[in-house]
Amino acid sequence: SEKIGDENGLRFFIDKSSRPSETVGAIDPADLQAYRADLDRIVELTGEKSDQASRIEALSIINRIADKPERPSVVAGLFDGLKGLILTSLNRAAPAKTALQSSIEQYQGNADMIQTLIALQLNGDEPPVILKTMKIAQDKQPDLIKAFDLNWMQYLSQRINLMPADKRQDARDELNVILAAAGWRMDPRTDEGVSVLGGAIRAHLKRGNVAEARRLIALQPSPDTLVG
């Protein structure tokens, strides 16, 4: 998202990160106290009416404070994620992806950061790299995968189809397993969701995950999707 100051972006995230929650990687407000003025200034600079000069100033602030927290840590992960979002808004995809990759290795508490990384990876990385990030999202931010964009899924499927034959099916299986675990396009029920569900059941049976296959079968997939 280029609007990192709206309710679903930076302001919302920083507010939430300072409160006790069940979010994975929740940040102790005391750990952010030393950076509060800088974070508030970044929020101000990256609001909906932000221009390029403001975003560049925000980038200079996050660059200045990024190396101050201990690494690895959730605070360092937060700062790397903020840096990645700002760089994305400046159309600097390569350094944005590097920053967001560093972020996700330390902190998985913000869906916008993970979704932006997936978007950047879709633009050039190999499917296994994208699937690894999606697996983290499914584990830590399942609502992100539940709402995964259909066009993104179709594009990733096309990329998988171009993989070497000996790796293609494993990648298809992994995609189906990740999407089905989050209930992708099953509420309401859609043909795409049912197809993915059937593919995930077959993948789990192939992997020997009988219990998970039975759980998915209980969702009553179409018999046609179980033949493959």
Short mmCIF file of all heavy atoms in Angstrom, two decimals, residues 29-88:
data_model
loop_
_atom_site.label_atom_id
_atom_site.label_comp_id
_atom_site.label_asym_id
_atom_site.label_seq_id
_atom_site.Cartn_x
_atom_site.Cartn_y
_atom_site.Cartn_z
N PRO A 29 5.68 -1.05 24.66
CA PRO A 29 5.72 0.41 24.45
C PRO A 29 6.98 1.05 25.02
O PRO A 29 7.45 2.06 24.49
CB PRO A 29 4.46 0.91 25.15
CG PRO A 29 4.00 -0.20 26.02
CD PRO A 29 4.45 -1.46 25.35
N ALA A 30 7.54 0.47 26.07
CA ALA A 30 8.76 1.03 26.64
C ALA A 30 9.91 0.96 25.64
O ALA A 30 10.80 1.83 25.64
CB ALA A 30 9.14 0.28 27.92
N ASP A 31 9.89 -0.06 24.78
CA ASP A 31 10.96 -0.20 23.79
C ASP A 31 10.87 0.84 22.68
O ASP A 31 11.84 1.07 21.96
CB ASP A 31 10.93 -1.60 23.18
CG ASP A 31 11.30 -2.68 24.18
OD1 ASP A 31 11.99 -2.36 25.16
OD2 ASP A 31 10.88 -3.84 23.99
N LEU A 32 9.69 1.45 22.51
CA LEU A 32 9.51 2.47 21.49
C LEU A 32 9.62 3.89 22.04
O LEU A 32 9.67 4.85 21.26
CB LEU A 32 8.14 2.31 20.81
CG LEU A 32 7.94 1.09 19.92
CD1 LEU A 32 6.53 1.07 19.36
CD2 LEU A 32 8.95 1.09 18.77
N GLN A 33 9.64 4.03 23.35
CA GLN A 33 9.55 5.35 23.95
C GLN A 33 10.66 6.28 23.46
O GLN A 33 10.42 7.47 23.18
CB GLN A 33 9.59 5.24 25.48
CG GLN A 33 9.29 6.54 26.20
CD GLN A 33 7.93 7.11 25.82
OE1 GLN A 33 6.95 6.39 25.73
NE2 GLN A 33 7.89 8.42 25.55
N ALA A 34 11.86 5.79 23.34
CA ALA A 34 12.98 6.63 22.93
C ALA A 34 12.84 7.13 21.50
O ALA A 34 13.49 8.11 21.11
CB ALA A 34 14.29 5.85 23.08
N TYR A 35 11.98 6.46 20.73
CA TYR A 35 11.82 6.81 19.31
C TYR A 35 10.48 7.48 19.02
O TYR A 35 10.14 7.73 17.86
CB TYR A 35 11.93 5.55 18.45
CG TYR A 35 13.12 4.69 18.79
CD1 TYR A 35 12.97 3.50 19.50
CD2 TYR A 35 14.40 5.06 18.41
CE1 TYR A 35 14.06 2.71 19.82
CE2 TYR A 35 15.51 4.28 18.72
CZ TYR A 35 15.32 3.10 19.42
OH TYR A 35 16.41 2.32 19.73
N ARG A 36 9.70 7.76 20.06
CA ARG A 36 8.33 8.21 19.84
C ARG A 36 8.25 9.49 19.02
O ARG A 36 7.42 9.60 18.11
CB ARG A 36 7.64 8.41 21.20
CG ARG A 36 6.20 8.91 21.14
CD ARG A 36 5.30 7.99 20.35
NE ARG A 36 5.26 6.65 20.91
CZ ARG A 36 4.62 5.64 20.33
NH1 ARG A 36 4.00 5.81 19.16
NH2 ARG A 36 4.62 4.44 20.88
N ALA A 37 9.09 10.46 19.31
CA ALA A 37 9.03 11.72 18.56
C ALA A 37 9.35 11.49 17.08
O ALA A 37 8.69 12.05 16.20
CB ALA A 37 10.00 12.73 19.16
N ASP A 38 10.35 10.66 16.82
CA ASP A 38 10.70 10.36 15.43
C ASP A 38 9.58 9.60 14.72
O ASP A 38 9.25 9.89 13.56
CB ASP A 38 11.98 9.53 15.37
CG ASP A 38 13.21 10.35 15.71
OD1 ASP A 38 13.27 11.53 15.30
OD2 ASP A 38 14.11 9.82 16.38
N LEU A 39 8.96 8.64 15.41
CA LEU A 39 7.87 7.88 14.80
C LEU A 39 6.67 8.78 14.52
O LEU A 39 6.03 8.67 13.47
CB LEU A 39 7.48 6.72 15.71
CG LEU A 39 8.54 5.62 15.86
CD1 LEU A 39 8.08 4.61 16.91
CD2 LEU A 39 8.82 4.93 14.54
N ASP A 40 6.36 9.67 15.46
CA ASP A 40 5.25 10.59 15.24
C ASP A 40 5.53 11.51 14.05
O ASP A 40 4.62 11.83 13.27
CB ASP A 40 4.99 11.43 16.49
CG ASP A 40 4.31 10.63 17.59
OD1 ASP A 40 3.78 9.53 17.30
OD2 ASP A 40 4.32 11.08 18.75
N ARG A 41 6.77 11.92 13.89
CA ARG A 41 7.13 12.77 12.75
C ARG A 41 7.00 11.99 11.44
O ARG A 41 6.53 12.53 10.43
CB ARG A 41 8.56 13.29 12.92
CG ARG A 41 9.06 14.17 11.78
CD ARG A 41 8.19 15.39 11.58
NE ARG A 41 8.73 16.24 10.51
CZ ARG A 41 8.01 17.14 9.85
NH1 ARG A 41 6.72 17.31 10.16
NH2 ARG A 41 8.55 17.87 8.90
N ILE A 42 7.39 10.71 11.45
CA ILE A 42 7.23 9.88 10.25
C ILE A 42 5.76 9.76 9.88
O ILE A 42 5.39 9.85 8.71
CB ILE A 42 7.87 8.49 10.47
CG1 ILE A 42 9.39 8.61 10.54
CG2 ILE A 42 7.47 7.52 9.36
CD1 ILE A 42 10.09 7.34 10.95
N VAL A 43 4.92 9.56 10.89
CA VAL A 43 3.48 9.48 10.64
C VAL A 43 2.99 10.76 9.97
O VAL A 43 2.23 10.73 8.99
CB VAL A 43 2.72 9.24 11.96
CG1 VAL A 43 1.22 9.43 11.76
CG2 VAL A 43 3.00 7.85 12.48
N GLU A 44 3.41 11.88 10.50
CA GLU A 44 3.00 13.18 9.96
C GLU A 44 3.45 13.33 8.50
O GLU A 44 2.71 13.83 7.65
CB GLU A 44 3.60 14.29 10.82
CG GLU A 44 3.24 15.70 10.37
CD GLU A 44 3.90 16.76 11.23
OE1 GLU A 44 4.44 16.42 12.30
OE2 GLU A 44 3.88 17.95 10.82
N LEU A 45 4.65 12.87 8.22
CA LEU A 45 5.22 13.04 6.88
C LEU A 45 4.65 12.07 5.85
O LEU A 45 4.75 12.32 4.64
CB LEU A 45 6.74 12.86 6.94
CG LEU A 45 7.52 13.95 7.66
CD1 LEU A 45 8.94 13.49 7.93
CD2 LEU A 45 7.52 15.25 6.84
N THR A 46 4.06 10.98 6.29
CA THR A 46 3.59 9.95 5.36
C THR A 46 2.07 9.82 5.36
O THR A 46 1.55 8.76 5.02
CB THR A 46 4.23 8.58 5.69
OG1 THR A 46 3.96 8.26 7.05
CG2 THR A 46 5.73 8.61 5.47
N GLY A 47 1.37 10.87 5.70
CA GLY A 47 -0.08 10.85 5.68
C GLY A 47 -0.63 10.86 4.27
O GLY A 47 0.11 10.84 3.27
N GLU A 48 -1.95 10.93 4.16
CA GLU A 48 -2.61 10.83 2.86
C GLU A 48 -2.19 11.96 1.91
O GLU A 48 -2.20 11.79 0.70
CB GLU A 48 -4.12 10.84 3.04
CG GLU A 48 -4.65 9.56 3.66
CD GLU A 48 -6.17 9.51 3.67
OE1 GLU A 48 -6.79 10.39 3.04
OE2 GLU A 48 -6.73 8.60 4.30
N LYS A 49 -1.84 13.13 2.46
CA LYS A 49 -1.46 14.27 1.62
C LYS A 49 0.05 14.37 1.45
O LYS A 49 0.57 15.40 1.02
CB LYS A 49 -2.01 15.57 2.23
CG LYS A 49 -3.53 15.60 2.29
CD LYS A 49 -4.04 16.92 2.86
CE LYS A 49 -5.57 16.93 2.91
NZ LYS A 49 -6.11 18.20 3.48
N SER A 50 0.74 13.29 1.76
CA SER A 50 2.19 13.28 1.67
C SER A 50 2.67 13.48 0.23
O SER A 50 2.07 12.97 -0.72
CB SER A 50 2.72 11.96 2.21
OG SER A 50 4.12 11.85 2.02
N ASP A 51 3.78 14.22 0.07
CA ASP A 51 4.40 14.36 -1.25
C ASP A 51 5.78 13.71 -1.20
O ASP A 51 6.21 13.20 -0.17
CB ASP A 51 4.49 15.84 -1.67
CG ASP A 51 5.25 16.69 -0.66
OD1 ASP A 51 6.00 16.13 0.17
OD2 ASP A 51 5.10 17.92 -0.70
N GLN A 52 6.46 13.73 -2.34
CA GLN A 52 7.74 13.03 -2.41
C GLN A 52 8.76 13.60 -1.44
O GLN A 52 9.49 12.84 -0.79
CB GLN A 52 8.29 13.07 -3.84
CG GLN A 52 9.59 12.27 -3.98
CD GLN A 52 9.98 12.06 -5.42
OE1 GLN A 52 9.27 12.46 -6.33
NE2 GLN A 52 11.12 11.44 -5.65
N ALA A 53 8.79 14.92 -1.31
CA ALA A 53 9.76 15.53 -0.39
C ALA A 53 9.51 15.07 1.05
O ALA A 53 10.46 14.81 1.80
CB ALA A 53 9.68 17.05 -0.49
N SER A 54 8.24 14.97 1.42
CA SER A 54 7.91 14.52 2.77
C SER A 54 8.33 13.08 2.99
O SER A 54 8.85 12.72 4.06
CB SER A 54 6.40 14.67 3.02
OG SER A 54 6.01 16.03 2.97
N ARG A 55 8.11 12.24 1.98
CA ARG A 55 8.49 10.84 2.11
C ARG A 55 10.01 10.68 2.19
O ARG A 55 10.52 9.81 2.90
CB ARG A 55 7.89 10.02 0.97
CG ARG A 55 6.37 9.90 1.03
CD ARG A 55 5.84 8.88 0.05
NE ARG A 55 5.94 9.32 -1.33
CZ ARG A 55 5.00 9.99 -1.99
NH1 ARG A 55 3.89 10.34 -1.35
NH2 ARG A 55 5.16 10.32 -3.25
N ILE A 56 10.73 11.52 1.45
CA ILE A 56 12.19 11.47 1.51
C ILE A 56 12.68 11.89 2.90
O ILE A 56 13.61 11.30 3.45
CB ILE A 56 12.80 12.37 0.42
CG1 ILE A 56 12.56 11.73 -0.97
CG2 ILE A 56 14.29 12.58 0.65
CD1 ILE A 56 12.96 12.60 -2.12
N GLU A 57 12.02 12.90 3.48
CA GLU A 57 12.38 13.30 4.84
C GLU A 57 12.09 12.16 5.83
O GLU A 57 12.88 11.89 6.74
CB GLU A 57 11.62 14.56 5.26
CG GLU A 57 12.01 15.05 6.64
CD GLU A 57 11.26 16.31 7.06
OE1 GLU A 57 10.65 16.97 6.20
OE2 GLU A 57 11.29 16.61 8.28
N ALA A 58 10.94 11.50 5.63
CA ALA A 58 10.61 10.36 6.49
C ALA A 58 11.65 9.26 6.36
O ALA A 58 12.04 8.63 7.36
CB ALA A 58 9.22 9.83 6.14
N LEU A 59 12.10 9.03 5.13
CA LEU A 59 13.13 8.01 4.91
C LEU A 59 14.42 8.38 5.64
O LEU A 59 15.09 7.51 6.21
CB LEU A 59 13.39 7.87 3.41
CG LEU A 59 14.44 6.84 3.00
CD1 LEU A 59 14.03 5.44 3.44
CD2 LEU A 59 14.65 6.87 1.47
N SER A 60 14.78 9.66 5.63
CA SER A 60 16.01 10.07 6.31
C SER A 60 15.90 9.84 7.82
O SER A 60 16.90 9.48 8.47
CB SER A 60 16.31 11.55 6.02
OG SER A 60 15.37 12.41 6.66
N ILE A 61 14.70 10.02 8.37
CA ILE A 61 14.51 9.79 9.80
C ILE A 61 14.64 8.31 10.14
O ILE A 61 15.35 7.93 11.08
CB ILE A 61 13.14 10.33 10.26
CG1 ILE A 61 13.09 11.85 10.10
CG2 ILE A 61 12.87 9.94 11.71
CD1 ILE A 61 11.71 12.45 10.35
N ILE A 62 13.96 7.46 9.36
CA ILE A 62 14.02 6.03 9.66
C ILE A 62 15.43 5.50 9.43
O ILE A 62 15.89 4.62 10.16
CB ILE A 62 12.97 5.24 8.84
CG1 ILE A 62 12.71 3.87 9.48
CG2 ILE A 62 13.36 5.09 7.40
CD1 ILE A 62 12.08 3.91 10.84
N ASN A 63 16.15 6.04 8.46
CA ASN A 63 17.54 5.63 8.25
C ASN A 63 18.40 6.00 9.46
O ASN A 63 19.30 5.24 9.85
CB ASN A 63 18.12 6.29 7.00
CG ASN A 63 17.69 5.60 5.72
OD1 ASN A 63 17.33 4.42 5.74
ND2 ASN A 63 17.72 6.31 4.61
N ARG A 64 18.10 7.14 10.06
CA ARG A 64 18.88 7.61 11.20
C ARG A 64 18.68 6.75 12.45
O ARG A 64 19.61 6.52 13.22
CB ARG A 64 18.53 9.08 11.50
CG ARG A 64 19.19 9.64 12.75
CD ARG A 64 19.06 11.15 12.83
NE ARG A 64 17.70 11.60 12.65
CZ ARG A 64 16.75 11.57 13.61
NH1 ARG A 64 17.03 11.06 14.81
NH2 ARG A 64 15.54 12.03 13.38
N ILE A 65 17.46 6.26 12.64
CA ILE A 65 17.18 5.50 13.87
C ILE A 65 17.23 3.98 13.68
O ILE A 65 17.21 3.23 14.65
CB ILE A 65 15.80 5.89 14.46
CG1 ILE A 65 14.65 5.46 13.53
CG2 ILE A 65 15.75 7.37 14.76
CD1 ILE A 65 13.27 5.70 14.12
N ALA A 66 17.34 3.53 12.42
CA ALA A 66 17.20 2.09 12.13
C ALA A 66 18.27 1.23 12.80
O ALA A 66 18.01 0.08 13.15
CB ALA A 66 17.21 1.85 10.63
N ASP A 67 19.47 1.77 12.97
CA ASP A 67 20.55 0.96 13.53
C ASP A 67 20.67 1.09 15.05
O ASP A 67 21.57 0.48 15.65
CB ASP A 67 21.88 1.34 12.88
CG ASP A 67 21.95 0.91 11.43
OD1 ASP A 67 21.29 -0.09 11.10
OD2 ASP A 67 22.64 1.58 10.64
N LYS A 68 19.79 1.84 15.67
CA LYS A 68 19.89 2.05 17.11
C LYS A 68 19.40 0.86 17.95
O LYS A 68 20.03 0.52 18.94
CB LYS A 68 19.16 3.34 17.50
CG LYS A 68 19.85 4.60 16.96
CD LYS A 68 19.15 5.86 17.44
CE LYS A 68 19.88 7.11 16.94
NZ LYS A 68 19.23 8.36 17.43
N PRO A 69 18.28 0.24 17.59
CA PRO A 69 17.83 -0.90 18.41
C PRO A 69 18.72 -2.13 18.22
O PRO A 69 19.41 -2.27 17.21
CB PRO A 69 16.41 -1.17 17.92
CG PRO A 69 16.37 -0.63 16.53
CD PRO A 69 17.30 0.55 16.53
N GLU A 70 18.69 -2.99 19.21
CA GLU A 70 19.43 -4.26 19.12
C GLU A 70 18.90 -5.07 17.93
O GLU A 70 17.72 -5.02 17.60
CB GLU A 70 19.21 -5.04 20.42
CG GLU A 70 19.87 -6.40 20.47
CD GLU A 70 19.56 -7.14 21.76
OE1 GLU A 70 18.96 -6.52 22.66
OE2 GLU A 70 19.90 -8.33 21.84
N ARG A 71 19.79 -5.81 17.32
CA ARG A 71 19.42 -6.68 16.21
C ARG A 71 19.92 -8.10 16.48
O ARG A 71 21.05 -8.27 16.90
CB ARG A 71 20.00 -6.17 14.87
CG ARG A 71 19.34 -4.91 14.39
CD ARG A 71 19.95 -4.42 13.10
NE ARG A 71 19.22 -3.28 12.60
CZ ARG A 71 18.15 -3.35 11.80
NH1 ARG A 71 17.74 -4.53 11.37
NH2 ARG A 71 17.52 -2.27 11.42
N PRO A 72 19.08 -9.09 16.19
CA PRO A 72 17.70 -8.98 15.72
C PRO A 72 16.75 -8.66 16.88
O PRO A 72 17.01 -9.05 18.03
CB PRO A 72 17.40 -10.37 15.16
CG PRO A 72 18.28 -11.27 15.97
CD PRO A 72 19.53 -10.50 16.26
N SER A 73 15.67 -7.95 16.58
CA SER A 73 14.65 -7.63 17.58
C SER A 73 13.39 -7.19 16.86
O SER A 73 13.43 -6.81 15.68
CB SER A 73 15.13 -6.51 18.51
OG SER A 73 15.21 -5.27 17.82
N VAL A 74 12.28 -7.21 17.57
CA VAL A 74 11.03 -6.80 16.95
C VAL A 74 11.05 -5.31 16.62
O VAL A 74 10.45 -4.88 15.62
CB VAL A 74 9.81 -7.14 17.84
CG1 VAL A 74 9.60 -8.64 17.91
CG2 VAL A 74 9.94 -6.54 19.23
N VAL A 75 11.73 -4.50 17.43
CA VAL A 75 11.81 -3.07 17.13
C VAL A 75 12.60 -2.84 15.86
O VAL A 75 12.21 -2.05 14.99
CB VAL A 75 12.42 -2.29 18.32
CG1 VAL A 75 12.64 -0.82 17.95
CG2 VAL A 75 11.51 -2.38 19.54
N ALA A 76 13.72 -3.54 15.72
CA ALA A 76 14.50 -3.42 14.48
C ALA A 76 13.66 -3.90 13.29
O ALA A 76 13.71 -3.31 12.20
CB ALA A 76 15.79 -4.23 14.60
N GLY A 77 12.89 -4.96 13.50
CA GLY A 77 12.02 -5.43 12.44
C GLY A 77 10.96 -4.41 12.06
O GLY A 77 10.64 -4.23 10.88
N LEU A 78 10.40 -3.74 13.07
CA LEU A 78 9.44 -2.67 12.81
C LEU A 78 10.07 -1.57 11.98
O LEU A 78 9.51 -1.14 10.96
CB LEU A 78 8.94 -2.10 14.13
CG LEU A 78 8.24 -0.74 14.08
CD1 LEU A 78 6.96 -0.82 13.26
CD2 LEU A 78 7.95 -0.22 15.48
N PHE A 79 11.26 -1.14 12.38
CA PHE A 79 11.91 -0.04 11.66
C PHE A 79 12.25 -0.44 10.23
O PHE A 79 12.08 0.36 9.29
CB PHE A 79 13.17 0.40 12.40
CG PHE A 79 12.91 1.13 13.69
CD1 PHE A 79 13.96 1.56 14.49
CD2 PHE A 79 11.62 1.38 14.13
CE1 PHE A 79 13.72 2.24 15.68
CE2 PHE A 79 11.36 2.04 15.32
CZ PHE A 79 12.42 2.47 16.10
N ASP A 80 12.72 -1.67 10.03
CA ASP A 80 13.00 -2.12 8.67
C ASP A 80 11.72 -2.16 7.83
O ASP A 80 11.73 -1.83 6.64
CB ASP A 80 13.65 -3.50 8.70
CG ASP A 80 15.08 -3.48 9.19
OD1 ASP A 80 15.68 -2.39 9.23
OD2 ASP A 80 15.61 -4.56 9.54
N GLY A 81 10.62 -2.58 8.46
CA GLY A 81 9.36 -2.61 7.75
C GLY A 81 8.87 -1.22 7.37
O GLY A 81 8.39 -1.00 6.24
N LEU A 82 9.01 -0.27 8.29
CA LEU A 82 8.63 1.11 7.97
C LEU A 82 9.49 1.65 6.83
O LEU A 82 8.99 2.32 5.91
CB LEU A 82 8.79 2.00 9.21
CG LEU A 82 7.91 1.67 10.42
CD1 LEU A 82 8.17 2.65 11.55
CD2 LEU A 82 6.44 1.68 10.04
N LYS A 83 10.77 1.35 6.89
CA LYS A 83 11.68 1.77 5.82
C LYS A 83 11.24 1.17 4.49
O LYS A 83 11.21 1.86 3.45
CB LYS A 83 13.11 1.34 6.14
CG LYS A 83 14.13 1.74 5.09
CD LYS A 83 15.54 1.35 5.53
CE LYS A 83 16.58 1.72 4.49
NZ LYS A 83 17.96 1.37 4.93
N GLY A 84 10.86 -0.10 4.50
CA GLY A 84 10.42 -0.75 3.27
C GLY A 84 9.16 -0.13 2.71
O GLY A 84 9.03 0.05 1.49
N LEU A 85 8.21 0.21 3.58
CA LEU A 85 6.97 0.84 3.10
C LEU A 85 7.24 2.22 2.51
O LEU A 85 6.67 2.59 1.48
CB LEU A 85 5.97 0.96 4.25
CG LEU A 85 5.38 -0.34 4.78
CD1 LEU A 85 4.45 -0.07 5.96
CD2 LEU A 85 4.63 -1.10 3.69
N ILE A 86 8.12 2.99 3.16
CA ILE A 86 8.45 4.32 2.64
C ILE A 86 9.16 4.20 1.30
O ILE A 86 8.85 4.92 0.34
CB ILE A 86 9.31 5.09 3.66
CG1 ILE A 86 8.51 5.37 4.93
CG2 ILE A 86 9.79 6.41 3.06
CD1 ILE A 86 9.35 5.86 6.10
N LEU A 87 10.12 3.28 1.20
CA LEU A 87 10.82 3.08 -0.07
C LEU A 87 9.86 2.63 -1.17
O LEU A 87 10.00 3.05 -2.33
CB LEU A 87 11.93 2.04 0.11
CG LEU A 87 13.17 2.53 0.87
CD1 LEU A 87 14.04 1.35 1.30
CD2 LEU A 87 13.98 3.50 0.00
N THR A 88 8.90 1.80 -0.82
CA THR A 88 7.90 1.39 -1.81
C THR A 88 7.11 2.58 -2.32
O THR A 88 6.85 2.71 -3.52
CB THR A 88 6.93 0.35 -1.19
OG1 THR A 88 7.67 -0.79 -0.76
CG2 THR A 88 5.89 -0.10 -2.22
#
